[in-house]
Amino acid sequence: MGAMRVTTQLLVDRSIRNINNQSNRLLTLQEQLATGLRVNRPSDDPIDARRAVSIRALLGKNEQYLANISMVSSPVAETNTSIETILSSFNRAWELALRGANGTNAQNQLDALALEINQLLEGIFSTANHETNGRYLFGGTRTTTPPYEATRNAEGEITAVHFAGNAEAIHVAISDVLDLQYNEIGLDVFSKNQDIFQTLLAVRDNLRAGDTSALGAVRLDEMETVRDQLTSALARVGSIQNRLDRSSEELEQFAFQLQTQLSDAIDADYADVITRLQAQTNAFQAALSAAARAIMPSLLDYVR
């Protein structure tokens, strides 16, 4: 087998190819140092690049669930505050009804109790129509109009209250497997077993009529039922708040784990990159020096 003839052009081509290879390696390491990423494009590491795509998809979904929780946390908290406010007012109404039912009050005292009951009724009616960010809390999916409407007499006092919302639940996705109902429907809170408004109206009217027997025999039992409704609603809202808090903590922990996995997949090791960059810089300089020595001789050098 004959020996291959080594020409100057062959030396030049190989030297340039070697310089290009060393330059590409140097450029890759410089890019890793600049971006902090070991995988800047799929061709850098197809397996880890595909893994990074999957992890980023999970992170995106995780962030959406966290955004959903953040979005509903405020109305849930305001629902809790509203029911607590109503329960506090209703407890005061219960105390007044109990005082009026003892049979020892003069009519002017009963009228005074009725006046305060009327004010409590107005406050509860207002809170039942609580609005936050342009959305009413207790109207089901009818969130743009007040859920309760009042009929008033010539003196402006409430004589009847009507529910104008609907019984539709509003759900929010907080995981792949859970859509959580986060709204409280007015019918469940205020009239599931006993209508809070009709009860307060009856208490007010019984006081004005001096009908203490109806207060003691009927109204107080109805008020106990209303209190149980409000307490149950408050417990439901509390459980929703706890679920949102737990889910938020779990999602944040999961996000941290995913970020760690993503970092393991594509992030560069700075110490390793700097070390290899220094070595590659030396190799590049050596390739340039070797190419300069290999290409330097000319025809005149051989005929001297």
Side-chain angles (χ1 to χ4, degrees), residues 69-106:
I69 291 173
S70 177
M71 177 187 68
V72 303
S73 291
S74 178
V76 170
E78 291 200 37
T79 299
N80 183 81
T81 300
S82 296
I83 297 175
E84 284 182 338
T85 300
I86 290 172
L87 181 58
S88 176
S89 296
F90 192 80
N91 283 334
R92 174 57 180 167
W94 185 86
E95 292 173 2
L96 297 174
L98 187 63
R99 187 186 306 171
N102 65 22
T104 62
N105 298 282

Side-chain angles (χ1 to χ4, degrees), residues 66-225:
L66 283 170
N68 290 350
I69 291 173
S70 177
M71 177 187 68
V72 303
S73 291
S74 178
V76 170
E78 291 200 37
T79 299
N80 183 81
T81 300
S82 296
I83 297 175
E84 284 182 338
T85 300
I86 290 172
L87 181 58
S88 176
S89 296
F90 192 80
N91 283 334
R92 174 57 180 167
W94 185 86
E95 292 173 2
L96 297 174
L98 187 63
R99 187 186 306 171
N102 65 22
T104 62
N105 298 282
Q107 185 57 48
N108 65 330
Q109 293 174 312
L110 295 177
D111 290 340
L113 294 176
L115 182 62
E116 187 172 350
I117 290 288
N118 194 64
Q119 293 303 314
L120 292 169
L121 171 63
E122 291 284 357
I124 289 173
F125 173 76
S126 176
T127 305
N129 281 329
H130 182 74
E131 178 187 15
T132 175
N133 295 325
R135 298 169 67 89
Y136 291 91
L137 295 177
F138 298 107
T141 56
R142 293 180 183 171
T143 59
T144 58
T145 57
Y148 286 96
E149 299 173 347
T151 301
R152 296 180 181 273
N153 59 22
E155 289 75 29
E157 291 185 340
I158 296 174
T159 57
V161 176
H162 310 281
F163 182 66
N166 61 33
E168 300 296 325
I170 305 176
H171 293 83
V172 62
I174 61 173
S175 75
D176 290 341
V177 296
L178 180 59
D179 282 350
L180 182 69
Q181 176 185 341
Y182 69 90
N183 69 318
E184 278 294 319
I185 299 166
L187 292 175
D188 293 334
V189 179
F190 305 121
S191 56
K192 184 175 184 178
N193 299 311
Q194 180 66 39
D195 191 300
I196 185 174
F197 301 107
Q198 294 305 316
T199 299
L200 290 174
L201 286 169
V203 170
R204 182 194 68 186
D205 294 344
N206 287 162
L207 286 169
R208 285 177 174 171
D211 191 352
T212 56
S213 61
L215 284 171
V218 180
R219 301 286 94 84
L220 291 178
D221 287 342
E222 291 177 349
M223 296 184 83
E224 285 292 347
T225 301

Side-chain angles (χ1 to χ4, degrees), residues 38-39 42 45-53 55 262 264-266:
R38 180 179 59 83
V39 181
D45 189 328
I47 294 176
D48 278 341
R50 180 68 185 89
R51 182 182 169 205
V53 169
I55 293 173
L262 183 62
D264 291 342
I266 64 172

